[in-house]
Amino acid sequence: MSATESAGSRFFWGGMLILFGTLMLLDRLDLLSFRETIRNFWPLILVAIGARMILFPKSRQESEIMVTPTAAAESASFIGTSVVSDYINENRFIGDIHLKVQSDDFKGGAVSSFIGDQKFDLSGIAIKGGERAFVVSGFIGDVMLILPKTIPYLVQVSAGIGDLVVFGRKEGGVGVNKVFKSPDYDHAASRLTVRISFMIGDITIL
C-alpha cells in the first residue's frame, strides 16, 4: 500500500468516524434524530465508498502480492491482537478487528461489525473432535482469513460488492456467493466451517 493510499484510507475512515460520532452527539442533545438521518441519507455512504475506490484504488502490485504462492508468509507478518481462547465473540459498530487466535480445542465463534476491516489468523488453532463453526459478518470493510493448514475446512462466502481472493484465485463482481472446501472435509472427524457475509469489501482467504 502506498503512502498516498494509506493516508487516503485513514482520512476516509477517520472522516466516517467523525461523521457518525457527530450525528450520535447531536442525537443525544435532541438536535436531530440519528435514526431518521441515517434512513434518509444512507445512500451517501455508498457514494463516499465509490469515491474512495476511484480516488484511492488498490494498486496492481498489491493485488499480485496477495495472490502469489508466497502470500502464505502473511501469517508470519500478521499484525493483530494475540488471543488465547477456545471461543471468539466480538461485536463492534465501528472499528477494525484483528485477532491472532491460539487454541488447543477451538470451539468456533461469531464476529461482526458495521464498519471496519476484520482480519483473523486461525493458523494456531486445533480441533480435538467434531465440527466447529466460525461466523464473520459486517456491512462495510475488508476481510482477511488465514486458515489452519492441518484442519479440513469449508468456507462459505457471501458478498454484495467486492473482490474475492481464495488461495490465489481472484474474482470479483456483484452478488458473490461461493463455497470452498478441502477434499477431506466431508469425512473428517475434526473440521472447521467458516461463513463470511459482507455487503461491501474485499475478502481474502489464505
Side-chain angles (χ1 to χ4, degrees):
M1 180 180 290
S2 67
T4 301
E5 182 180 348
S6 178
S9 180
R10 290 196 301 270
F11 178 80
F12 176 82
W13 292 117
M16 293 292 286
L17 286 171
I18 292 172
L19 174 62
F20 278 99
T22 301
L23 291 176
M24 290 178 182
L25 177 61
L26 293 175
D27 180 74
R28 292 182 67 88
L29 295 174
D30 293 326
L31 297 177
L32 60 74
S33 170
F34 178 80
R35 181 175 297 178
E36 287 294 320
T37 301
I38 294 299
R39 189 182 71 176
N40 292 330
F41 296 101
W42 71 264
L44 290 177
I45 297 175
L46 300 182
V47 173
I49 293 169
R52 177 179 180 268
M53 290 178 176
I54 294 172
L55 294 174
F56 303 101
K58 291 187 176 180
S59 66
R60 180 176 177 81
Q61 182 180 6
E62 180 184 0
S63 298
E64 289 176 349
I65 290 173
M66 282 199 302
V67 300
T68 56
T70 57
E74 189 80 39
S75 177
S77 60
F78 182 92
I79 299 176
T81 303
S82 293
V83 176
V84 179
S85 177
D86 294 337
Y87 188 82
I88 303 299
N89 185 16
E90 186 101 19
N91 295 283
R92 295 186 189 178
F93 181 66
I94 298 177
D96 296 340
I97 303 173
H98 297 175
L99 299 177
K100 186 170 186 176
V101 184
Q102 301 285 333
S103 173
D104 292 332
D105 188 14
F106 188 61
K107 305 297 185 184
V111 181
S112 66
S113 66
F114 183 68
I115 298 176
D117 296 341
Q118 298 189 33
K119 295 183 179 181
F120 306 99
D121 184 350
L122 301 184
S123 61
I125 70 168
I127 297 176
K128 292 185 177 179
E131 180 177 352
R132 304 291 186 260
F134 185 57
V135 180
V136 179
S137 61
F139 185 66
I140 300 172
D142 295 337
V143 177
M144 186 186 77
L145 175 68
I146 301 175
L147 290 169
K149 307 304 179 187
T150 58
I151 301 176
Y153 62 84
L154 180 148
V155 180
Q156 180 179 4
V157 178
S158 175
I161 302 173
D163 290 335
L164 172 63
V165 180
V166 179
F167 304 122
R169 188 176 71 181
K170 180 179 179 180
E171 55 186 283
V174 178
V176 176
N177 194 356
K178 299 284 185 179
V179 176
F180 305 88
K181 66 179 179 178
S182 58
D184 52 349
Y185 175 84
D186 289 332
H187 304 290
S190 301
R191 58 189 187 180
L192 176 66
T193 299
V194 180
R195 294 182 176 86
I196 301 174
S197 177
F198 254 75
M199 185 61 191
I200 302 173
D202 298 338
I203 298 173
T204 303
I205 310 294
L206 298 173

